[in-house]
């Protein structure tokens, strides 16, 4: 059994982190599928609103509550499953928008609030802590519901390990002197019954020119309510961070052989180690497979290919010279691709050589098509877990 299988069986939470677009969501889904096939009751929790994950799990769309992947869909894909596979998505921004919509007294007020630059700042502060919210949700689920394992997918991060910094950023926001001053002056003005004129003057100076005084006061009330949560928030943030250090958690760093992505992956690994977070394994996805043993096959290959093309009943070319030209181009493209794959190999080998745990690097090659259904996800899983040779 591979170390990755042991992680699946032995831990109760796995977090997939990594740069944008490398395959975090796909990996999270493949891990969950594997764990369910090994008999565990597993939930994959995603912050990615992508429909693709739903499709690759055989579902129409991903719901914001725990939804079981139907055993029939798994059976249809030929996947015997002793355990249970569940999925859900977390959508913090939408939840936040909905709250505003609910509290806004009118359509006009709603758009005034939502079009306000301050709202943008606030909602991005919250959206930036999406990873954090996801972690919290993960623990809530892990404790409340009876899942053996929760696999957490994370959103593309502009800054590596945003979730570690998110609680701090949130605190900074609540702590910012601008916010406090705003709330103070709003309150003072409410007390002395300042006329709309003064309130408007304040708005013109401080907040932006686009909202009316009534809306401004609503925002103040809203911010005040949010601020009242900030003390509890800091305590919860510390608690969650503590829980992430426990040894029944594993972080999987997903990356690709692209130099920048590898660099970022290494940085993730180092940060996790520094922060005392349990590193599980590296997944290097989208490795290019070489066509040839080396980048320069002989010219006889062009000849063999040209002969095949010429004889093929489906490829009809008029002149022998056309066939020759096409064969040359095909071989040359395959050579370029092979050169790239050799470079991929070299960079990944460098990563492996530098790691204290070289056996914890798992590779998946670049499939010819996206992973959008259960069969493809299963193929991905088999390569990842080395069931079949790449
Ligand atoms: N090995 C692979 N071969 C071919 N396609 C792949 C492979 N891995 C992932 N993909 C495809 O690449 C796309 C991006 O993958 P995925 O959504 O898993 O990445 P991500 O890291 O979650 O992206 P984001 O950071 O945007 O959330 C998807 O369409 C997926 O099907
Ligand atoms: Mg994703």
């Amino acid at each position: 059994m591979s170390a990755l299988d042991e992680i699946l069986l032995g831990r109760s939470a796995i977090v997939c982190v990594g740069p944008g677009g490398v395959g975090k969501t796909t990996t999270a889904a493949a891990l969950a599928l594997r764990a369910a096939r090994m008999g565990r009751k597993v939930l994959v929790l995603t912050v990615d609103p992508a429909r693709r994950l739903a499709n690759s799990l055989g579902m129409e769309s991903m719901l914001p509550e725990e939804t079981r992947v139907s055993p029939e869909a798994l059976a249809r894909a030929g996947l015997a499953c002793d355990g249970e596979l569940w999925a859900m998505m977390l959508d913090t921004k939408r939840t936040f928008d909905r709250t505003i919509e609910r509290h806004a007294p009118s359509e006009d007020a709603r758009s005034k609030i939502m079009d306000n630059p301050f709202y943008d700042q606030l909602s991005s502060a919250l959206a930036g802590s999406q990873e954090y919210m996801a972690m919290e949700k993960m623990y809530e689920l892990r404790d409340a519901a009876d899942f053996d394992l929760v696999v957490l997918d994370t959103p593309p991060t502009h800054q590596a390990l945003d979730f570690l910094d998110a609680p701090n950023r949130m605190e900074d926001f609540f702590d910012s002197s601008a916010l406090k001053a705003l709330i103070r002056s709003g309150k003072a003005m409410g007390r002395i019954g300042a006329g709309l004129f003064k309130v408007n003057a304040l708005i013109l100076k401080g907040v932006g020119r686009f909202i009316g005084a009534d809306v401004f006061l609503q925002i103040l009330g809203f911010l005040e309510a949010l601020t009242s949560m900030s003390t509890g928030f800091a305590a919860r943030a510390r608690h969650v961070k503590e829980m992430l250090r426990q040894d029944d958690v594993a972080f999987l760093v997903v990356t690709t052989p692209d130099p920048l992505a590898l660099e970022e992956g290494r940085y993730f690994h180092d940060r996790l180690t520094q922060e005392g977070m349990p590193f599980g394994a590296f997944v290097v996805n989208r490795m290019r497979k070489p066509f040839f043993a080396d980048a320069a096959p002989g010219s006889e290959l062009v000849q063999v290919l040209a002969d095949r093309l010429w004889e093929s009943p489906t490829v009809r070319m008029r002149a022998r010279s056309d066939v020759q030209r096409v064969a040359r181009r095909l071989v040359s493209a395959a050579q370029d691709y092979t050169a790239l794959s050799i470079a991929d190999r070299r960079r990944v080998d460098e990563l492996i050589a530098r790691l204290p745990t070289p056996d914890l690097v798992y590779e998946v090659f670049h499939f010819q098509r996206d992973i959008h259904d259960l069969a493809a996800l299963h193929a991905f899983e088999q390569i990842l877990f080395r069931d079949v040779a790449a």
Side-chain angles (χ1 to χ4, degrees), residues 40-73:
R40 303 201 90 191
K41 182 174 177 185
V42 50
L43 173 77
V44 52
L45 173 62
T46 178
V47 281
D48 194 340
R51 184 189 187 89
R52 296 195 297 250
L53 175 68
N55 293 351
S56 57
L57 289 175
M59 300 159 93
E60 253 311 300
S61 62
M62 189 68 81
L63 301 172
E65 70 251 13
E66 300 97 308
T67 311
R68 182 160 181 194
V69 176
S70 90
E72 291 76 35

Short mmCIF file of all heavy atoms in Angstrom, two decimals, residues 40-73:
data_model
loop_
_atom_site.label_atom_id
_atom_site.label_comp_id
_atom_site.label_asym_id
_atom_site.label_seq_id
_atom_site.Cartn_x
_atom_site.Cartn_y
_atom_site.Cartn_z
N ARG A 40 -14.47 4.09 3.18
CA ARG A 40 -14.69 5.18 4.13
C ARG A 40 -15.90 6.03 3.75
O ARG A 40 -16.28 6.10 2.58
CB ARG A 40 -13.45 6.09 4.18
CG ARG A 40 -12.18 5.34 4.55
CD ARG A 40 -11.14 6.29 5.09
NE ARG A 40 -11.25 6.43 6.52
CZ ARG A 40 -10.60 7.36 7.24
NH1 ARG A 40 -9.83 8.24 6.64
NH2 ARG A 40 -10.74 7.43 8.54
N LYS A 41 -16.47 6.66 4.75
CA LYS A 41 -17.53 7.63 4.47
C LYS A 41 -16.86 8.99 4.33
O LYS A 41 -16.35 9.53 5.31
CB LYS A 41 -18.55 7.63 5.61
CG LYS A 41 -19.70 8.60 5.34
CD LYS A 41 -20.78 8.49 6.39
CE LYS A 41 -21.87 9.52 6.13
NZ LYS A 41 -22.87 9.53 7.18
N VAL A 42 -16.83 9.49 3.13
CA VAL A 42 -15.98 10.64 2.85
C VAL A 42 -16.76 11.79 2.21
O VAL A 42 -17.68 11.57 1.42
CB VAL A 42 -14.77 10.21 1.98
CG1 VAL A 42 -15.23 9.43 0.78
CG2 VAL A 42 -13.93 11.39 1.53
N LEU A 43 -16.39 12.99 2.59
CA LEU A 43 -17.01 14.20 2.02
C LEU A 43 -15.94 15.02 1.33
O LEU A 43 -14.89 15.30 1.92
CB LEU A 43 -17.64 15.04 3.13
CG LEU A 43 -18.17 16.41 2.67
CD1 LEU A 43 -19.49 16.28 1.93
CD2 LEU A 43 -18.35 17.35 3.87
N VAL A 44 -16.18 15.40 0.08
CA VAL A 44 -15.28 16.35 -0.54
C VAL A 44 -15.95 17.72 -0.50
O VAL A 44 -17.07 17.90 -0.96
CB VAL A 44 -14.83 15.93 -1.97
CG1 VAL A 44 -15.98 15.59 -2.87
CG2 VAL A 44 -13.96 17.01 -2.62
N LEU A 45 -15.27 18.65 0.14
CA LEU A 45 -15.82 19.99 0.35
C LEU A 45 -15.05 20.96 -0.54
O LEU A 45 -13.83 21.06 -0.44
CB LEU A 45 -15.63 20.37 1.82
CG LEU A 45 -15.97 21.79 2.25
CD1 LEU A 45 -17.43 22.09 2.01
CD2 LEU A 45 -15.63 21.99 3.71
N THR A 46 -15.76 21.61 -1.43
CA THR A 46 -15.07 22.49 -2.35
C THR A 46 -15.54 23.93 -2.23
O THR A 46 -16.70 24.20 -1.93
CB THR A 46 -15.21 21.99 -3.81
OG1 THR A 46 -14.55 22.90 -4.67
CG2 THR A 46 -16.66 21.87 -4.21
N VAL A 47 -14.64 24.85 -2.43
CA VAL A 47 -14.99 26.26 -2.44
C VAL A 47 -15.05 26.73 -3.89
O VAL A 47 -15.26 27.88 -4.17
CB VAL A 47 -13.97 27.12 -1.68
CG1 VAL A 47 -14.21 27.01 -0.20
CG2 VAL A 47 -12.57 26.70 -2.01
N ASP A 48 -14.84 25.79 -4.79
CA ASP A 48 -14.82 26.05 -6.20
C ASP A 48 -16.24 25.88 -6.74
O ASP A 48 -16.78 24.80 -6.70
CB ASP A 48 -13.90 24.98 -6.83
CG ASP A 48 -13.53 25.32 -8.23
OD1 ASP A 48 -14.25 26.13 -8.84
OD2 ASP A 48 -12.54 24.79 -8.71
N PRO A 49 -16.85 26.95 -7.24
CA PRO A 49 -18.22 26.79 -7.70
C PRO A 49 -18.31 26.04 -9.04
O PRO A 49 -19.37 25.95 -9.63
CB PRO A 49 -18.72 28.23 -7.85
CG PRO A 49 -17.49 29.05 -8.02
CD PRO A 49 -16.35 28.30 -7.41
N ALA A 50 -17.18 25.51 -9.50
CA ALA A 50 -17.16 24.89 -10.82
C ALA A 50 -18.11 23.71 -10.90
O ALA A 50 -18.21 22.88 -10.00
CB ALA A 50 -15.75 24.44 -11.16
N ARG A 51 -18.77 23.66 -12.03
CA ARG A 51 -19.70 22.61 -12.33
C ARG A 51 -18.94 21.34 -12.69
O ARG A 51 -19.46 20.22 -12.61
CB ARG A 51 -20.48 23.15 -13.52
CG ARG A 51 -21.56 22.35 -14.01
CD ARG A 51 -22.06 22.93 -15.32
NE ARG A 51 -23.25 22.16 -15.65
CZ ARG A 51 -24.44 22.49 -15.23
NH1 ARG A 51 -24.63 23.60 -14.54
NH2 ARG A 51 -25.47 21.75 -15.52
N ARG A 52 -17.69 21.55 -13.08
CA ARG A 52 -16.86 20.43 -13.55
C ARG A 52 -16.69 19.36 -12.49
O ARG A 52 -16.74 18.18 -12.78
CB ARG A 52 -15.47 20.95 -13.94
CG ARG A 52 -15.46 21.90 -15.10
CD ARG A 52 -14.05 22.05 -15.61
NE ARG A 52 -13.18 22.63 -14.60
CZ ARG A 52 -12.67 23.84 -14.66
NH1 ARG A 52 -12.94 24.59 -15.68
NH2 ARG A 52 -11.89 24.29 -13.71
N LEU A 53 -16.49 19.80 -11.25
CA LEU A 53 -16.29 18.82 -10.20
C LEU A 53 -17.56 17.99 -10.04
O LEU A 53 -17.50 16.77 -9.93
CB LEU A 53 -15.94 19.50 -8.87
CG LEU A 53 -15.83 18.54 -7.68
CD1 LEU A 53 -14.63 17.62 -7.84
CD2 LEU A 53 -15.74 19.28 -6.37
N ALA A 54 -18.70 18.70 -10.06
CA ALA A 54 -19.98 18.00 -9.95
C ALA A 54 -20.08 16.96 -11.06
O ALA A 54 -20.37 15.79 -10.79
CB ALA A 54 -21.12 19.01 -10.05
N ASN A 55 -19.79 17.37 -12.28
CA ASN A 55 -19.89 16.45 -13.41
C ASN A 55 -18.95 15.27 -13.26
O ASN A 55 -19.31 14.13 -13.52
CB ASN A 55 -19.59 17.16 -14.73
CG ASN A 55 -20.66 18.18 -15.06
OD1 ASN A 55 -21.69 18.22 -14.39
ND2 ASN A 55 -20.41 19.01 -16.05
N SER A 56 -17.74 15.55 -12.82
CA SER A 56 -16.80 14.44 -12.73
C SER A 56 -17.16 13.51 -11.58
O SER A 56 -16.65 12.41 -11.49
CB SER A 56 -15.35 14.93 -12.65
OG SER A 56 -15.20 15.78 -11.56
N LEU A 57 -18.07 13.96 -10.71
CA LEU A 57 -18.57 13.06 -9.67
C LEU A 57 -19.92 12.47 -10.06
O LEU A 57 -20.60 11.85 -9.25
CB LEU A 57 -18.69 13.81 -8.34
CG LEU A 57 -17.38 14.17 -7.66
CD1 LEU A 57 -17.63 15.00 -6.42
CD2 LEU A 57 -16.57 12.94 -7.31
N GLY A 58 -20.31 12.71 -11.30
CA GLY A 58 -21.55 12.15 -11.79
C GLY A 58 -22.79 12.89 -11.29
O GLY A 58 -23.88 12.35 -11.24
N MET A 59 -22.61 14.18 -10.90
CA MET A 59 -23.75 14.96 -10.43
C MET A 59 -24.02 16.10 -11.42
O MET A 59 -23.12 16.53 -12.12
CB MET A 59 -23.46 15.58 -9.06
CG MET A 59 -23.15 14.58 -7.97
SD MET A 59 -22.24 15.37 -6.64
CE MET A 59 -23.54 15.84 -5.56
N GLU A 60 -25.25 16.59 -11.39
CA GLU A 60 -25.62 17.69 -12.28
C GLU A 60 -24.93 18.99 -11.86
O GLU A 60 -24.31 19.68 -12.63
CB GLU A 60 -27.15 17.87 -12.26
CG GLU A 60 -27.85 17.40 -13.52
CD GLU A 60 -27.20 17.94 -14.79
OE1 GLU A 60 -27.16 19.17 -14.93
OE2 GLU A 60 -26.75 17.13 -15.62
N SER A 61 -25.11 19.32 -10.57
CA SER A 61 -24.46 20.52 -10.06
C SER A 61 -24.11 20.30 -8.59
O SER A 61 -24.63 19.40 -7.96
CB SER A 61 -25.39 21.72 -10.20
OG SER A 61 -26.54 21.49 -9.43
N MET A 62 -23.26 21.15 -8.11
CA MET A 62 -22.78 21.00 -6.73
C MET A 62 -23.65 21.86 -5.81
O MET A 62 -23.82 23.04 -6.06
CB MET A 62 -21.33 21.45 -6.68
CG MET A 62 -20.65 21.15 -5.40
SD MET A 62 -20.42 19.41 -5.15
CE MET A 62 -18.98 19.14 -6.14
N LEU A 63 -24.17 21.27 -4.77
CA LEU A 63 -25.06 22.01 -3.88
C LEU A 63 -24.32 22.49 -2.64
O LEU A 63 -23.32 21.90 -2.24
CB LEU A 63 -26.23 21.11 -3.46
CG LEU A 63 -27.07 20.55 -4.61
CD1 LEU A 63 -28.06 19.51 -4.10
CD2 LEU A 63 -27.77 21.68 -5.34
N PRO A 64 -24.84 23.58 -2.05
CA PRO A 64 -24.16 24.08 -0.84
C PRO A 64 -24.49 23.28 0.41
O PRO A 64 -24.37 23.77 1.51
CB PRO A 64 -24.64 25.53 -0.75
CG PRO A 64 -25.89 25.60 -1.52
CD PRO A 64 -25.91 24.47 -2.50
N GLU A 65 -24.95 22.05 0.26
CA GLU A 65 -25.09 21.17 1.43
C GLU A 65 -24.59 19.78 1.06
O GLU A 65 -24.47 19.45 -0.12
CB GLU A 65 -26.54 21.13 1.92
CG GLU A 65 -27.48 20.42 0.99
CD GLU A 65 -28.44 21.40 0.29
OE1 GLU A 65 -28.19 22.61 0.35
OE2 GLU A 65 -29.38 20.93 -0.33
N GLU A 66 -24.33 18.97 2.08
CA GLU A 66 -23.79 17.64 1.84
C GLU A 66 -24.75 16.83 0.95
O GLU A 66 -25.92 16.70 1.28
CB GLU A 66 -23.62 16.86 3.16
CG GLU A 66 -22.70 17.50 4.16
CD GLU A 66 -23.46 18.30 5.20
OE1 GLU A 66 -24.29 19.16 4.81
OE2 GLU A 66 -23.22 18.07 6.40
N THR A 67 -24.23 16.33 -0.15
CA THR A 67 -25.05 15.57 -1.09
C THR A 67 -24.33 14.27 -1.41
O THR A 67 -23.15 14.29 -1.74
CB THR A 67 -25.24 16.37 -2.40
OG1 THR A 67 -25.63 17.70 -2.06
CG2 THR A 67 -26.28 15.74 -3.29
N ARG A 68 -25.03 13.20 -1.32
CA ARG A 68 -24.39 11.91 -1.59
C ARG A 68 -24.32 11.65 -3.09
O ARG A 68 -25.28 11.85 -3.82
CB ARG A 68 -25.17 10.79 -0.90
CG ARG A 68 -24.49 9.46 -1.13
CD ARG A 68 -24.89 8.41 -0.13
NE ARG A 68 -24.15 7.18 -0.44
CZ ARG A 68 -24.44 6.01 0.06
NH1 ARG A 68 -25.45 5.89 0.90
NH2 ARG A 68 -23.72 4.95 -0.27
N VAL A 69 -23.18 11.21 -3.55
CA VAL A 69 -23.02 10.80 -4.94
C VAL A 69 -23.71 9.44 -5.06
O VAL A 69 -23.42 8.52 -4.29
CB VAL A 69 -21.53 10.67 -5.31
CG1 VAL A 69 -21.37 10.14 -6.73
CG2 VAL A 69 -20.83 12.02 -5.16
N SER A 70 -24.64 9.36 -5.99
CA SER A 70 -25.49 8.18 -6.01
C SER A 70 -24.68 6.91 -6.32
O SER A 70 -23.86 6.89 -7.23
CB SER A 70 -26.63 8.35 -7.03
OG SER A 70 -26.22 7.87 -8.29
N PRO A 71 -24.92 5.88 -5.51
CA PRO A 71 -24.21 4.62 -5.72
C PRO A 71 -24.49 4.05 -7.12
O PRO A 71 -23.64 3.38 -7.69
CB PRO A 71 -24.80 3.69 -4.65
CG PRO A 71 -25.36 4.61 -3.61
CD PRO A 71 -25.80 5.83 -4.33
N GLU A 72 -25.67 4.39 -7.68
CA GLU A 72 -26.00 3.91 -9.03
C GLU A 72 -25.06 4.53 -10.05
O GLU A 72 -24.57 3.84 -10.96
CB GLU A 72 -27.45 4.26 -9.40
CG GLU A 72 -28.52 3.52 -8.61
CD GLU A 72 -28.70 4.06 -7.19
OE1 GLU A 72 -28.55 5.30 -7.02
OE2 GLU A 72 -28.94 3.27 -6.26
N ALA A 73 -24.80 5.84 -9.89
CA ALA A 73 -23.90 6.51 -10.84
C ALA A 73 -22.51 5.89 -10.76
O ALA A 73 -21.84 5.68 -11.78
CB ALA A 73 -23.83 8.01 -10.53
#
